[in-house]
Amino acid sequence: MNVIFILIGMNVTIIFLFDKSKLDTKKWFLRILILNIILFIIASVCTINNIVKNTAINSLFVPLIAQGIYYGLSRLFYMEFERNGMDTFWTMDKTLFKDGWFNYIFWLISILLFLFVLK
C-alpha cells in the first residue's frame, strides 16, 4: 500500500516524464492542481489528527509542492526565452540544451523533495 501512496505522490514527476505538455496547458494544469490540493488536504488531515503517521502519507504533500516548483521554473524559463520548455527526456537532440537544463533542474528538485520527505 505504501508504494501506491508514493506513486500517487509522484504524479507531477511522472506526468513530467511521460507527457510534459499536460503541465503546460491551462486546462490540464488546473485539473492536476485540484487533485494535488485534495491530496495535500488529505495528508494534512491525517497528519494533524494522527490518523496515520508514516512516509507514505507524507509523500502526499509532495505533488502540490512539486507542481508549484514546476510552475515557478516554467515561468522563469518563459520569461527568459519567450517559449515553453520542450521535452528532452526521450530525445537526443543536442540543440535543446537549454531545455535539457530546465528539465534537469526540475528532476533534481523533485527527487530531492522526495528524499527529504521519505527520510
Side-chain angles (χ1 to χ4, degrees):
M1 190 69 174
N2 288 347
V3 174
I4 294 171
F5 280 115
I6 291 171
L7 288 176
I8 291 170
M10 292 183 71
N11 70 13
V12 174
T13 309
I14 292 170
I15 291 170
F16 182 81
L17 175 63
F18 290 106
D19 193 5
K20 184 177 168 295
S21 65
K22 293 217 186 303
L23 291 171
D24 290 331
T25 59
K26 188 174 185 177
K27 180 176 95 171
W28 277 101
F29 187 84
L30 290 175
R31 287 179 181 175
I32 297 167
L33 182 65
I34 290 169
L35 171 72
N36 291 335
I37 289 172
I38 292 169
L39 291 174
F40 192 86
I41 291 170
I42 290 170
S44 297
V45 168
C46 289
T47 303
I48 290 170
N49 294 329
N50 289 327
I51 295 171
V52 177
K53 189 154 180 127
N54 65 18
T55 57
I57 294 298
N58 289 342
S59 69
L60 296 180
F61 286 112
V62 174
L64 185 64
I65 298 167
Q67 191 170 6
I69 290 170
Y70 175 80
Y71 180 77
L73 288 174
S74 178
R75 290 302 113 209
L76 285 173
F77 189 88
Y78 187 82
M79 288 178 2
E80 180 70 28
F81 301 110
E82 297 179 357
R83 64 180 176 86
N84 287 330
M86 301 199 44
D87 188 11
T88 59
F89 188 77
W90 301 105
T91 182
M92 297 301 286
D93 189 1
K94 293 181 182 179
T95 60
L96 299 173
F97 184 73
K98 295 171 189 169
D99 301 87
W101 273 105
F102 165 74
N103 294 339
Y104 171 74
I105 290 170
F106 178 74
W107 266 101
L108 183 66
I109 290 172
S110 64
I111 296 300
L112 289 176
L113 195 60
F114 253 96
L115 290 176
F116 179 71
V117 168
L118 296 178
K119 63 176 177 152

